[in-house]
Amino acid sequence: MSKGLENIKNIYFIGIGGIGMSALARYFKFLGKNVAGYDKTSTQITTDLSELGIDIHFNDSVDEIPEIFFDTENTLIIYTPAIPKDHTELIYVQSNGFLIKKRAEVLGIITKGVYTLAVAGTHGKTTTTAILGHLLKESGAKVTAFLGGISENYNSNLILEGNDVVVVEADEFDRSFLQLYPDIAAVTSMDADHLDIYEEANALENSFREFASRAKDHLLICNGLPINGTTYGIEDNSDYSAQNIRIDNGTYIFDLKTPDQYINDLHLNLPGKHNLLNAITAFAIAMLFGSPTTSLAKALFTFKGVKRRFTYQIKTDQLVYVDDYAHHPTEINALHQAVREMHPNKKVVAVFQPHLYSRTRDFAKDFASSLSQFDHVLLLDIYPARELPISGITSKWLLDMITIDHKKLVTKEKLIDEIRKSDAQVVLTIGAGDIGEEVNDIKEALMI
């Protein structure tokens, strides 16, 4: 436990159900702290936390905070920037002398003084950190990994094997990753995003450059990005490059060229060239850390993926159903590439829930272009998350820009009927909002 937090007995989370927040909640619960929190809605994540003995409530009410957490001397409040400023509980703790920190600050405290591997990027960081955490664990490292998604291997967003090395997803939202002090860092991508925070792409790029400059030992950069570092890529002249790529029964088999060796016949059981890049990144970081290559090769083969990252819900000759977290046009393009590569010549229906009014506004033409690649599109209403509506920015507005004939606005209540009517052989549910809560019902209905 890092200095500054070791004497804290109680940790209270405002927004405990978030993927990053819940990993911290698990971590502190494992360390024997008293942990409780608030979230807006009940989800599978909050249910899992409750089963660990963490007290969670869903009304924004100071009266529902357990009494032990009112001890200001021994309580740390952790909140996420997604919480609105007029939140009753947040206002109360801000007004009553509590120690309050953002999630990113706490990660900075935890990782300071521990050898830290951090992965940043507008796309790819969650899967890359999950692969990296798995590679290190399986090769014997005493690793703690804070993941931005639920690993299929561990059914958790936390890997806790020891504290010799920490793996962390470095989040660019709200410039959170500038709280970290990585020894080895990677930048997977720098596409414009979070323009509600950064306002312009140049500001986002400058933040990534500042993050990259914090790497003490090694910096890995996806080939083509405007930052100097050790490069990685696919079938190119990168320092770490995948070569001789084949597909066998849905599995990538490839060779990895590194600065000083050539590793033959690595296996990756994830579809899509974007996941191949993620795997190369994680493998390279693990090698730079010093993990034995033979162990890493075996571990890569056993990596199962991250929930809601091209997750197969149904996979038969007659029907494929994939759920994916993609919420940016670049991610939808990557998903489309993977689907067409793994399931060629099949009719694909894409169910998309746009995430944030501002993101929909800023990338509307790109969203329309990426969605128009599918055979049939079903569009749900925009998921607002932390935002209020923006005049004129609606799913109907986006739908009108999509160029294919088979497109329709749908409600969640009519969604299953519309999927069936599409008569598609491949079904995709796509988005970062609450569409993930519909997956089990869709899966059950399609299996009848």
Side-chain angles (χ1 to χ4, degrees):
M1 167 59 67
S2 297
K3 288 188 181 356
L5 296 181
E6 55 199 9
N7 296 323
I8 296 291
K9 296 176 183 176
N10 312 314
I11 318 282
Y12 185 78
F13 289 83
I14 303 178
I16 195 168
I19 196 70
M21 293 280 278
S22 58
L24 280 177
R26 291 176 189 270
Y27 174 76
F28 285 119
K29 183 67 177 176
F30 178 82
L31 293 181
K33 306 293 185 182
N34 299 313
V35 178
Y38 156 88
D39 208 86
K40 188 176 179 181
T41 53
S42 174
T43 63
Q44 187 59 53
I45 287 176
T46 58
T47 299
D48 291 344
L49 293 178
S50 295
E51 289 174 357
L52 293 175
I54 295 173
D55 189 319
I56 301 175
H57 62 270
F58 303 98
N59 295 316
D60 175 15
S61 171
V62 174
D63 292 340
E64 294 206 31
I65 300 174
E67 187 175 346
I68 191 173
F69 294 90
F70 287 96
D71 177 2
T72 56
E73 292 295 314
N74 291 297
T75 299
L76 168 65
I77 308 295
I78 303 176
Y79 75 102
T80 167
I83 292 291
K85 291 186 172 69
D86 62 354
H87 191 274
T88 305
E89 294 184 16
L90 183 59
I91 291 171
Y92 175 83
V93 297
Q94 287 172 334
S95 305
N96 284 276
F98 284 86
L99 177 63
I100 307 170
K101 294 190 179 295
K102 291 182 182 179
R103 179 185 68 89
E105 291 179 87
V106 176
L107 274 178
I109 293 169
I110 290 171
T111 58
K112 202 165 188 179
V114 181
Y115 202 87
T116 299
L117 317 178
V119 180
T122 44
H123 326 292
K125 58 183 175 291
T126 295
T127 300
T128 303
T129 51
I131 297 173
L132 179 56
H134 178 70
L135 294 179
L136 295 179
K137 176 186 177 297
E138 290 298 298
S139 59
K142 293 179 179 176
V143 58
T144 294
F146 295 96
L147 311 179
I150 304 297
S151 165
E152 297 276 11
N153 288 82
Y154 310 106
N155 195 33
S156 179
N157 50 356
L158 179 69
I159 299 172
L160 207 50
E161 291 291 308
N163 204 35
D164 287 353
V165 59
V166 173
V167 172
V168 64
E169 179 173 321
D171 189 1
E172 74 279 3
F173 175 73
D174 200 33
R175 296 177 173 82
S176 293
F177 56 4
L178 300 183
Q179 303 281 350
L180 300 173
Y181 300 88
D183 295 277
I184 302 176
V187 178
T188 65
S189 50
M190 292 166 51
D191 292 320
D193 198 4
H194 301 301
L195 298 185
D196 55 325
I197 300 295
Y198 286 94
E199 296 184 357
E200 57 181 32
N202 282 345
L204 178 68
E205 286 190 9
N206 289 337
S207 275
F208 273 106
R209 289 191 181 93
E210 187 176 344
F211 167 77
S213 71
R214 300 169 84 86
K216 300 187 192 82
D217 292 344
H218 300 283
L219 175 64
L220 275 166
I221 298 293
C222 187
N223 199 11
L225 292 182
I227 298 178
N228 292 325
T230 301
T231 56
Y232 67 90
I234 294 176
E235 293 181 327
D236 59 12
N237 62 351
S238 300
D239 299 304
Y240 293 83
S241 177
Q243 306 283 339
N244 190 25
I245 301 164
R246 299 88 79 197
I247 297 176
D248 182 13
N249 195 27
T251 296
Y252 279 122
I253 304 171
F254 64 100
D255 304 331
L256 182 62
K257 176 183 73 70
T258 80
D260 52 16
Q261 61 180 300
Y262 204 86
I263 305 165
N264 293 310
D265 297 333
L266 294 173
H267 287 64
L268 176 69
N269 293 309
L270 298 183
K273 294 286 173 57
H274 61 298
N275 279 323
L276 197 52
L277 280 170
N278 296 336
I280 298 164
T281 315
F283 206 97
I285 294 171
M287 288 183 71
L288 289 169
F289 175 67
S291 297
T293 303
T294 305
S295 299
L296 294 177
K298 290 177 183 174
L300 185 64
F301 178 69
T302 62
F303 181 72
K304 296 177 182 178
V306 177
K307 287 186 179 178
R308 304 215 64 231
R309 303 305 196 277
F310 207 103
T311 301
Y312 281 107
Q313 300 294 332
I314 300 172
K315 191 179 183 184
T316 68
D317 291 339
Q318 293 74 37
L319 180 66
V320 170
Y321 172 25
V322 171
D323 179 46
D324 196 276
Y325 187 75
H327 56 284
H328 186 283
T330 302
E331 295 165 349
I332 296 173
N333 289 335
L335 175 61
H336 176 263
Q337 181 272 324
V339 167
R340 297 299 190 191
E341 184 175 58
M342 294 299 170
H343 305 286
N345 306 315
K346 291 191 173 183
K347 182 179 179 182
V348 181
V349 58
V351 180
F352 180 55
Q353 182 189 48
H355 184 264
L356 297 179
Y357 296 102
S358 60
R359 183 182 283 127
T360 305
R361 175 198 62 200
D362 294 339
F363 302 105
K365 289 183 180 178
D366 294 330
F367 274 124
S369 176
S370 62
L371 291 167
S372 295
Q373 298 173 98
F374 299 105
D375 303 300
H376 194 130
V377 171
L378 299 174
L379 207 56
L380 292 166
D381 282 339
I382 297 170
Y383 183 78
R386 57 188 177 268
E387 292 185 337
L388 294 172
I390 297 173
S391 178
I393 308 303
T394 65
S395 286
K396 172 66 168 65
W397 175 72
L398 175 59
L399 187 81
D400 289 343
M401 298 185 204
I402 296 171
T403 57
I404 60 173
D405 294 331
H406 299 290
K407 59 181 181 177
K408 189 173 184 178
L409 282 181
V410 296
T411 62
K412 289 178 184 174
E413 291 72 25
K414 298 285 182 65
L415 181 54
I416 289 171
D417 287 342
E418 293 294 336
I419 291 172
R420 283 179 170 145
K421 282 183 197 173
S422 74
D423 198 30
Q425 299 149 297
V426 179
V427 177
L428 307 178
T429 45
I430 311 169
D434 61 2
I435 189 172
E437 301 297 311
E438 306 297 315
V439 169
N440 284 340
D441 288 344
I442 295 170
K443 178 179 179 180
E444 288 178 13
L446 294 179
M447 290 179 72
I448 295 173

